[in-house]
Amino acid sequence: MDEDSRMIGLTAATLAGLGVALLARYVLALPEAVTIAALGLAYLAGGVPAGIEALRELFGRGKLDIDLLMVIAAVAAASVGAALEGAVLLALFSLSGTLEHRAMGKARRAVEALMALRPETALRVLPAGGVEEVAVASVALGDRLLLRPGARVPVDGRVVEGSGSVDESTITGEAVPVTKAAGDPLYEATVNLHGVLTMEVQRSLAESTVARMIALVTEAQAMKAPSERFSEWFGARYTVAVLVGAIAVFAGLLALGWALPDAMYRAATVLVAASPCAVVISVPAAILSALSAAARGGVLFKGGAALEKLAEVRAYAFDKTGTLTTGRAEVTQIVTVDGLSEAVFLAQLAGIEAASEHHIADAVLRHAKALGVEPQTLRDVLAWPSEGITGSDDEGGLWAGNQRMLTRMGAQALPEFEAMRQGAETVVHLGRGDRVLGAVTVADAPRTTAAAGIAALRNAGVSEIAMMTGDRRAVALRIAADLGIRPEEVHADLLPEDKVRLVDALAAKGRVAFVGDGVNDAAALARADVGIAMGAAGSEVALQAADVALLSEDMQRLALAHALARRTARIIRQNLSFAIGAMVVLVVAGLFFALPLPLAVIGHEGGTVLVVLNGLRLLRDPIRVS
Ligand code: ADP
Ligand code: MG
């Protein structure tokens, strides 16, 4: 039997026992033995498993569970002849525990559901023609798979044949289908809608986007938010205090000359009233709900800590290429010198870029492919973040990159490239030693959602926006103008360490988030209070360094995630103040105003359920742009 049905069964039995006892005593006036038997059932189902569990916590792990207080209070009530009141306590306690478990399970399951979406088999295309059905685990890199309409994509890869549209909402949270043609990436667990596609496997199952998401979520569960840690810490200390306090009340009342049953009843009431169930549950209820709502919208937080910090962020720094701009840049112009043919030039440039994961490399490779140019094979290829890339062929060293790379190589910018270098597109020079062989311009366009996302952040009270890029200032300004980013907010020609320095400067004024995608952003992502990586398209290093992964390409989600974080912080504050306030009222009433035990129980359990429900409100706020 699973945990869920076990809990439901026990709660049902407890409620039934209480119900029968009430009927037998007050409505049907049956012999007292019936009532006692029914109460016995309620105590057995509602108290014994919880009591054993709590004792195991106490002796096994040295943790005093709050549940133990409830059981002790019920037993105390029964021992002074208030067995019915004790049963009410156990029934409500069991009911709220089950509700809580189910509610929290709902929040947790949203992401675990992803695992269920991973297909188990794939259709492998046989070299001789035809297909065979194989287990996904046995699919190898480079295999070709056939995707029929309606099929889930079994692994990450690229379309090689056919075209159609794919529903990527499992990963990005975006309902709009994405059109796919040869060369486009496909992600595991997304759904091929209409077309028949042939795909090539490019990532092993363990490294797929979904696997990375699952890893992130598992990691997330280990990283508790500060307020979560506070409520746990508080809960643990306070539970001991409550137990000691109740004993003190009991002893004190006896000393004042109270009768034993009265003193015991009063102490049990105080025990229930003062138990911090609501305080302990109020934070995780809100955080889990928010994390789950965010995940459904394609924003993955690596834990509650990142969520809480994001709520306080007032400055956002963005990388340009691949973050504010789409990952799909285009080669717009080619200039070569000394009569070098474009085809030879492109074969060399594509050859050296073939090893790079930069968007520039992607553009060059696509361009070469479109022109039917086969990239040359190169050795010893080395990436220089924010500069370019170097390698060698039979004739010697070859390099590609920007002005920094030119300077490093002692090369001169020839007049032929002057027009390009004055323009507002990224210029990539190809050179050998100190000779420049030619250059291409690569243009990237802003993401369609970036302007709206930035505007929404500013509206939400984000006071500082900055663009930080390794690209030239002219290019950066062109993109910035489209996005409503002011020239003074643009920082160009940066090396990775410059980004860190600028993030540091912003951090001096308040919490900073850095949004980036590349290898050259990893340091800044790690340095920022909240590092946000472009997940599905970004580099693995960036994802590792970040606290949040944005799987959707939609920048408006970032603003929504920010709003969600702030709402979560507000709900946590509400919950904590309500829970502590209610507890104080109940304890005072219990100590000085002869609060009846059933009322204490109802106030206590009711408060617990209320804070859980208040937290669950966040679940209904998936990050979605209407
Ligand atoms: P951003 O910070 O905007 O993401 P990068 O720091 O990744 O940009 O790149 C900055 C510049 O470095 C690019 O505009 C380009 O000139 C050069 N560069 C980086 N990687 C490469 C590469 N693989 N090939 C050629 N040039 C590159
Ligand atoms: Mg980038």
Side-chain angles (χ1 to χ4, degrees):
M1 202 173 3
D2 67 15
E3 180 69 9
D4 258 12
S5 32
R6 194 182 75 100
M7 290 186 76
I8 293 174
L10 287 174
T11 299
T14 314
L15 286 172
L18 175 67
V20 171
L22 284 170
L23 274 179
R25 182 179 289 173
Y26 297 112
V27 182
L28 306 172
L30 294 177
E32 188 60 14
V34 178
T35 304
I36 290 174
L39 287 178
L41 172 67
Y43 273 79
L44 273 181
V48 173
I52 291 176
E53 187 55 37
L55 285 176
R56 201 178 282 156
E57 282 283 296
L58 181 61
F59 293 113
R61 304 205 286 145
K63 265 178 59 186
L64 184 57
D65 212 37
I66 312 176
D67 294 7
L68 193 62
L69 298 188
M70 295 299 111
V71 178
I72 292 175
V75 171
S79 69
V80 297
L84 198 68
E85 278 97 328
V88 171
L89 167 63
L90 288 177
L92 283 180
F93 165 62
S94 171
L95 183 65
S96 74
T98 302
L99 286 178
E100 208 178 282
H101 182 81
R102 288 190 63 85
M104 302 289 265
K106 194 165 151 195
R108 215 171 263 135
R109 270 193 299 275
V111 176
E112 284 170 5
L114 259 180
M115 294 199 189
L117 295 179
R118 309 183 79 177
E120 297 188 342
T121 62
L123 292 176
R124 181 153 57 197
V125 179
L126 298 168
V131 293
E132 59 171 348
E133 185 163 354
V134 294
V136 173
S138 71
V139 166
L141 295 189
D143 274 1
R144 292 195 167 207
L145 306 176
L146 184 71
L147 297 175
R148 300 212 170 109
R152 271 192 199 281
V153 177
V155 267
D156 285 7
R158 221 168 255 281
V159 180
V160 286
E161 248 180 76
S163 63
S165 54
V166 171
D167 177 352
E168 296 192 332
S169 58
T170 41
I171 295 208
T172 63
E174 245 148 316
V176 187
V178 189
T179 42
K180 299 278 178 178
D184 288 335
L186 290 172
Y187 302 109
E188 184 191 349
T190 57
V191 182
N192 174 30
L193 293 174
H194 320 292
V196 176
L197 304 176
T198 308
M199 68 175 289
E200 188 186 88
V201 180
Q202 289 195 314
R203 259 201 290 241
S204 72
L205 208 54
E207 289 165 358
S208 77
T209 308
V210 168
R212 293 197 295 189
M213 287 173 66
I214 293 170
L216 283 182
V217 173
T218 330
E219 213 172 307
Q221 282 162 353
M223 295 218 265
K224 296 224 161 95
S227 64
E228 210 167 344
R229 257 182 270 134
F230 163 76
S231 76
E232 273 182 13
W233 174 89
F234 174 81
R237 297 285 178 302
Y238 188 76
T239 305
V240 179
V242 170
L243 196 57
V244 172
I247 294 170
V249 167
F250 176 62
L253 292 177
L254 282 185
L256 288 176
W258 283 44
L260 182 82
D262 293 346
M264 194 105 155
Y265 187 92
R266 187 58 75 89
T269 309
V270 170
L271 191 61
V272 172
S275 288
C277 294
V279 177
V280 172
I281 196 71
S282 56
V283 179
I287 290 206
L288 258 182
S289 303
L291 292 183
S292 154
R296 276 183 294 148
V299 182
L300 284 187
F301 285 86
K302 287 192 198 168
L307 187 73
E308 288 203 328
K309 275 196 246 157
L310 190 65
E312 292 166 21
V313 164
R314 292 294 170 275
Y316 272 83
F318 292 90
D319 164 55
K320 175 183 74 72
T321 322
T323 302
L324 290 177
T325 66
T326 65
R328 273 184 93 83
E330 299 289 342
V331 172
T332 46
Q333 208 191 338
I334 302 183
V335 173
T336 62
V337 294
D338 298 340
L340 181 66
S341 84
E342 269 193 19
V344 173
F345 166 80
L346 252 185
Q348 294 184 345
L349 183 61
I352 197 162
E353 294 287 7
S356 167
E357 37 103 78
H358 204 274
H359 305 293
I360 291 178
D362 199 44
V364 169
L365 287 170
R366 264 186 286 118
H367 193 71
K369 196 169 178 188
L371 296 182
V373 171
E374 188 64 29
Q376 190 185 319
T377 317
L378 286 156
R379 295 183 308 268
D380 311 324
V381 180
L382 207 62
W384 301 79
S386 302
E387 283 187 34
I389 193 158
T390 59
S392 53
D393 63 6
D394 296 338
E395 285 175 55
L398 207 59
W399 52 265
N402 56 14
Q403 181 59 46
R404 273 184 208 278
M405 182 61 81
L406 240 75
T407 312
R408 175 186 296 279
M409 294 298 166
Q412 291 296 318
L414 304 173
E416 283 91 326
F417 308 122
E418 215 30 57
M420 278 181 161
R421 289 160 57 91
Q422 295 305 323
E425 290 174 353
T426 308
V427 183
V428 178
H429 307 80
L430 176 72
R432 193 180 282 288
D434 62 1
R435 262 182 351 117
V436 181
L437 304 175
V440 295
T441 48
V442 176
D444 54 354
R447 284 183 195 281
T448 48
T449 51
I454 289 176
L457 283 175
R458 288 201 206 264
N459 275 339
V462 170
S463 52
E464 301 250 6
I465 298 278
M467 178 198 274
M468 301 182 181
T469 176
D471 209 346
R472 290 161 49 231
R473 189 162 178 86
V475 187
L477 287 175
R478 168 175 64 90
I479 303 288
D482 279 355
L483 298 179
I485 296 177
R486 292 188 291 278
E488 66 271 23
E489 295 172 323
V490 173
H491 308 270
D493 293 309
L494 304 177
L495 289 172
E497 55 268 33
D498 299 328
K499 292 189 179 182
V500 176
R501 195 172 39 72
L502 285 169
V503 167
D504 265 334
L506 281 176
K509 289 184 264 177
R511 289 218 192 264
V512 190
F514 184 90
V515 194
D517 70 312
V519 175
N520 64 327
D521 300 321
L525 284 168
R527 175 60 192 86
D529 294 301
V530 184
I532 302 169
M534 304 298 294
S539 65
E540 184 66 28
V541 198
L543 209 55
Q544 292 285 329
D547 306 297
V548 182
L550 210 56
L551 296 167
S552 157
E553 306 271 284
D554 185 346
M555 278 293 176
Q556 277 168 280
R557 306 273 172 116
L558 187 60
L560 290 172
H562 185 84
L564 179 73
R566 299 190 64 172
R567 220 158 38 235
T568 309
R570 202 166 58 231
I571 286 195
I572 287 176
R573 274 198 302 276
Q574 278 170 7
N575 272 358
L576 281 177
S577 34
F578 170 78
I580 294 176
M583 210 163 65
V584 169
V585 170
L586 286 175
V587 170
V588 170
L591 275 178
F592 305 112
F593 299 102
L595 178 74
L597 182 58
L599 269 190
V601 171
I602 291 169
H604 174 255
E605 300 297 338
T608 308
V609 170
L610 274 184
V611 296
V612 170
L613 290 180
N614 194 32
L616 285 181
R617 285 197 298 143
L618 291 165
L619 208 52
R620 278 185 304 158
D621 282 334
I623 299 182
R624 200 139 290 177
V625 186
S626 46

